[in-house]
Amino acid sequence: DGVTRVSMTVLGRRAEDIDEFIEKLEATGAFNDILPSQSDFTDEGLRRVLVESTYTGDVPPAEATPDAPTAPDPKTPAPGAPQKGVTP
């Protein structure tokens, strides 16, 4: 039917951690119909949740954000590096 279904096992310490993961997965725009279907605990005490979704592959282009790290300008010397023509 041309639909790509994705099932994944997600581990987290708290239910809030799993919820945050699902919210971020939804925010990518690449997945729809994200539903936790089964839940239990591991021997180590972690929550284990089976998450089912539909993969759409529709990912919006990345937007520049003010706090996103940028590559340094190669023309700008690194802090503390000696500069040409400048005498300390």
Side-chain angles (χ1 to χ4, degrees):
D1 62 9
V3 175
T4 303
R5 299 282 306 155
V6 177
S7 297
M8 59 188 90
T9 302
V10 180
L11 299 173
R13 294 192 197 311
R14 304 170 303 147
E16 293 83 11
D17 298 331
I18 305 292
D19 291 341
E20 181 181 353
F21 174 81
I22 291 172
E23 288 171 10
K24 289 183 178 184
L25 193 62
E26 287 174 332
T28 68
F31 296 88
N32 287 333
D33 306 321
I34 302 171
L35 299 170
S37 62
Q38 296 177 10
S39 179
D40 66 351
F41 289 90
T42 67
D43 292 339
E44 294 80 23
L46 296 174
R47 291 180 180 272
R48 177 175 36 217
V49 179
L50 177 63
V51 177
E52 298 186 16
S53 63
T54 303
Y55 178 71
T56 64
D58 297 332
V59 180
E63 296 180 20
T65 58
D67 17 332
T70 58
D73 182 352
K75 297 176 195 157
T76 305
Q83 298 178 12
K84 292 181 183 176
V86 177
T87 313

